[in-house]
Amino acid sequence: GDSVTQMEGPVTLSEEAFLTINCTYTATGYPSLFWYVQYPGEGLQLLLKATKADDKGSNKGFEATYRKETTSFHLEKGSVQVSDSAVYFCALSARGNSGNTPLVFGKGTRLSVIA
Amino acid sequence: DADVTQTPRNRITKTGKRIMLECSQTKGHDRMYWYRQDPGLGLRLIYYSFDVKDINKGEISDGYSVSRQAQAKFSLSLESAIPNQTALYFCATSGPTADRWGVDGYTFGSGTRLTVV
């Protein structure tokens, strides 16, 4: 079945450091790809998405490019802030007979940014 | 009011008890989902519903049941709670898109933290 593998955390960075969180996927169809963020005590929020190969999703300084040849969707940010401390989830939704299938999530990567 | 409201926010229950978690939404979305979050395991799908008459099992449906009472309400029941059902439970919704194959983001509730002792 469809699956998402993302780098294990926790990841600890100093403020203004460069962030990369790796994500690779396995899907039988042509999936849409997502990054969600979960701040402490809250539900998940959509951070960015990409629906076809070579698309780049971006939001709040975060970026990720849909790479079909490497089945990857790595999350990057050039300069992290303390407020970016959260858990980040990579996810996919494949095309099914009734529309897109429910989201399949990776295990999450906890990011801590220290001042 | 939140777009997706889950009740209760926290619950402690005893092994063997029946418990219901409720979810209501004001998004007007047809699709609703229940996920379970465990440390180190991410979110796993329990059940989902694409409309009021449609209920589907997810990856980990054993020990759970659901009811879609209306477009806006989707409840999750644990018929006989056991300790390994201790987890954070999330309800989510998603709506239609202009392109049948397009996907908008899900809207998540704030979660119900359930502890089974």
Side-chain angles (χ1 to χ4, degrees), chain B residues 2-117:
Chain B
D3 291 329
V4 180
T5 301
Q6 292 184 234
T7 56
R9 288 297 308 274
N10 293 281
R11 179 73 181 267
I12 300 174
T13 192
K14 294 184 178 181
T15 298
K17 292 292 187 182
R18 184 179 189 275
I19 182 170
M20 178 182 290
L21 309 183
E22 299 188 2
C23 175
S24 62
Q25 53 116 343
T26 58
K27 299 285 289 185
H29 287 165
D30 287 326
R31 299 183 171 201
M32 299 187 73
Y33 312 84
W34 276 104
Y35 284 89
R36 165 179 172 163
Q37 184 179 15
D38 297 277
L41 294 179
L43 277 77
R44 293 179 292 167
L45 182 65
I46 306 172
Y47 271 96
Y48 62 103
S49 169
F50 282 174
D51 63 45
V52 174
K53 297 181 180 180
D54 175 77
I55 301 290
N56 303 280
K57 292 183 177 180
E59 177 188 355
I60 53 165
S61 59
D62 287 349
Y64 302 94
S65 62
V66 291
S67 173
R68 184 81 184 266
Q69 301 95 324
Q71 186 202 39
K73 296 182 182 297
F74 191 38
S75 59
L76 176 72
S77 293
L78 286 68
E79 298 300 325
S80 179
I82 56 177
N84 76 0
Q85 291 177 313
T86 293
L88 185 56
Y89 290 84
F90 285 105
C91 175
T93 73
S94 68
T97 60
D99 170 5
R100 179 188 180 195
W101 302 113
V103 179
D104 285 333
Y106 285 18
T107 301
F108 281 82
S110 297
T112 294
R113 185 168 297 281
L114 176 66
T115 303
V116 183
V117 298

Side-chain angles (χ1 to χ4, degrees), chain A residues 33-37 46-52 54-66 73-78 88:
Chain A
L33 302 173
F34 305 82
W35 278 99
Y36 278 79
V37 59
L46 177 65
L47 182 59
L48 52 85
K49 69 175 183 179
T51 58
K52 61 183 186 295
D54 300 325
D55 267 3
K56 177 184 283 188
S58 61
N59 187 25
K60 300 181 180 180
F62 291 90
E63 293 183 340
T65 301
Y66 190 144
F73 193 54
H74 305 321
L75 182 68
E76 297 182 337
K77 187 175 184 182
Y88 292 82

Side-chain angles (χ1 to χ4, degrees), chain A residues 20-97:
Chain A
T20 299
I21 301 178
N22 290 336
C23 172
T24 58
Y25 67 89
T26 302
T28 53
Y30 198 151
S32 296
L33 302 173
F34 305 82
W35 278 99
Y36 278 79
V37 59
Q38 183 181 30
Y39 298 103
E42 298 183 10
L44 279 72
Q45 304 172 26
L46 177 65
L47 182 59
L48 52 85
K49 69 175 183 179
T51 58
K52 61 183 186 295
D54 300 325
D55 267 3
K56 177 184 283 188
S58 61
N59 187 25
K60 300 181 180 180
F62 291 90
E63 293 183 340
T65 301
Y66 190 144
R67 301 289 188 197
K68 186 179 179 183
E69 64 276 14
T70 55
T71 62
S72 66
F73 193 54
H74 305 321
L75 182 68
E76 297 182 337
K77 187 175 184 182
S79 176
V80 294
Q81 305 300 313
V82 172
S83 57
D84 294 326
S85 298
V87 181
Y88 292 82
F89 293 92
C90 186
L92 71 80
S93 177
R95 294 182 182 181
N97 293 330

